[in-house]
Structures are given as structure tokens and as C-alpha cells.
Amino acid sequence: MNSSDQELDRLDQLLSALPKENLPMTLSELDGYVTGILLCPDIIAPSEWLSNVWGETGDANFPDIPTAEATISAVMKHYNSVAMLLTQTPWIEPIYEVDPNSDETLWEAWINGFACALRLRPDEWTTVLERGDEETQSSLIFLMSLQEINVGISKFTEEEIDEIDIEAPDIIPNCVATILLMSRTELAQRIKPMDYTPSQRKRLGRNDPCPCGSERKYKKCCGSN
């Protein structure tokens, strides 16, 4: 396990220790949340978004100062890590939850966090929808549609939702990459052209055969790391 894995495990533990009655964010939800914040055209200060991590009341109820400092530091470190990654490549690896019984990749928590970030600046995202190119609009609409599925208000049929459920984990990173290059042009300008070309729009899916030749799914082989 590398240091990054250890840091994520520690962050997961700290978030799990927050009062359950406040419904604090999980690690996956936080990852979607900070991604949405960083994609927003308007810079959002931690003083505005941090309290949402602690839950519905915005009060973390930390038992002591050292715990408060450790938790806030871990959250900000993850935020900075995602921010740094987005200055290097538009491709992200979302942190999804996994059903321990079926090994199914669960995207719902991540998209719930992303949707929470969109609600911080609704006017900015409306502008992105109005001024973005067709691919950016489609990407943002798709992510918003996932949240509608997540909260049970989608107009898709059950068959359509089942199909989307399977494909969503692989499509979400493509949508993020497309939106980033439109909404945060100052970040996109730092990315080398070779890091993002039309041929790269379809990334290796977690349910695709692993390229190592093991004949196992990518998510159960090399993708598990």
C-alpha cells in the first residue's frame, strides 16, 4: 500500500468518525464534491464549502482540537491532491464505493457529492450549459441525470436506468474531462496536448477485459490497484 492509499484510508476513518446523525460525507461523496468544486468556473473558498462535508447541520462536533485539525487537514489535502491532478491531466480516477457482496461499483455517492457542489453555484453552471459546446452540455446533463436517478426522480425507464447504472462508472471520468476543458480554461491551458486527444475520449472501462491478458475484468485485475 503506497502513501496515497494510506492517506485515503486515514481520511475515510476520520470521515467515518463524524456524528452519523448529521449524515456527513463519505470518502466517495467527498471526492465527487471536491471535483465539482474544482470544475466550477468560479473559485469557491473552503470557508464556504467545508461545512457541507460535516453533514446536514454543518457542525462537525469534533471531540477535541487535535481531531478537528487532523480531519480538516486530511480533507484539504485531498482537495489539493485533486486540484494538482487536474492541472496535469483532465483524466481523473473517481473514488467509487464498492458493494462488498456483489463487487459492484457504486457511483451514487460520488455523484451525490458532485451534485452538492453544483448547488453552490447554480448560476455559473447554468451559464456553462448555455454557452458550452454540444459535448460539454451533454456531459453536464448526463451527470445531472445521474443524480436524478440517484434520488429517484428520473424519467428514464427501469431498463434504461439498468443500462446507465452499468456504464456510469466509465462515463463519469469522460464527462469530467470534457467539462474541465470548457469550464476551467486556465487549468486546461496547463495540460499538454498529448494528455488529451479525441482518441483518448474513451477510457479503459472497469468492466472491460484487462489489457494485461489475464482474461479477467479490469476492475478485478490491474484496476483494483
Side-chain angles (χ1 to χ4, degrees):
M1 180 180 293
N2 59 39
S3 59
S4 178
D5 292 330
Q6 293 173 346
E7 290 167 357
L8 290 176
D9 283 346
R10 178 56 175 161
L11 174 57
D12 189 23
Q13 293 170 0
L14 290 168
L15 293 174
S16 298
L18 293 167
K20 297 295 186 294
E21 61 272 18
N22 287 348
L23 301 178
M25 289 186 177
T26 63
L27 177 59
S28 179
E29 196 170 8
L30 173 66
D31 189 60
Y33 185 51
V34 298
T35 301
I37 289 169
L38 289 164
L39 258 61
C40 183
D42 189 27
I43 302 300
I44 305 175
S47 58
E48 182 176 352
W49 61 259
L50 194 57
S51 62
N52 287 333
V53 177
W54 316 140
E56 294 183 341
T57 66
D59 188 354
N61 293 317
F62 293 116
D64 50 55
I65 293 178
T67 300
E69 292 177 341
T71 306
I72 294 172
S73 176
V75 169
M76 292 307 304
K77 191 166 187 176
H78 184 62
Y79 169 87
N80 290 329
S81 176
V82 176
M84 178 62 69
L85 178 63
L86 290 175
T87 65
Q88 300 169 347
T89 174
W91 298 122
I92 63 164
E93 293 291 341
I95 299 175
Y96 298 128
E97 295 178 355
V98 177
D99 188 322
N101 297 316
S102 64
D103 200 33
E104 178 185 2
T105 300
L106 307 175
W107 50 266
E108 288 84 353
W110 192 96
I111 206 68
N112 194 58
F114 186 85
C116 183
L118 298 191
R119 291 194 292 271
L120 294 176
R121 290 291 188 277
D123 291 343
E124 292 287 345
W125 288 110
T126 297
T127 300
V128 172
L129 272 176
E130 293 175 346
R131 299 181 181 178
D133 58 24
E134 183 176 353
E135 192 165 12
T136 300
Q137 293 173 346
S138 297
S139 295
L140 185 53
I141 289 171
F142 178 78
L143 295 181
M144 295 167 68
S145 296
L146 287 182
Q147 178 62 358
E148 291 179 351
I149 292 174
N150 181 40
V151 298
I153 61 173
S154 175
K155 295 181 180 179
F156 288 118
T157 65
E158 290 186 9
E159 291 77 12
E160 289 171 330
I161 290 176
D162 288 342
E163 183 68 23
I164 292 172
D165 184 48
I166 295 172
E167 299 294 334
D170 296 333
I171 296 176
I172 287 173
N174 294 330
C175 292
V176 169
T178 299
I179 294 169
L180 170 70
L181 297 177
M182 171 67 189
S183 65
R184 296 296 303 277
T185 54
E186 76 281 9
L187 292 182
Q189 290 172 355
R190 302 179 189 177
I191 299 171
K192 297 178 181 178
M194 67 179 66
D195 290 335
Y196 187 78
T197 64
S199 62
Q200 292 177 301
R201 300 199 85 90
K202 181 65 176 73
R203 304 168 72 252
L204 180 66
R206 289 177 59 78
N207 290 311
D208 290 339
C210 190
C212 73
S214 66
E215 297 185 355
R216 301 174 64 192
K217 289 184 178 180
Y218 176 64
K219 69 179 180 181
K220 293 185 177 181
C221 192
C222 296
S224 63
N225 297 318

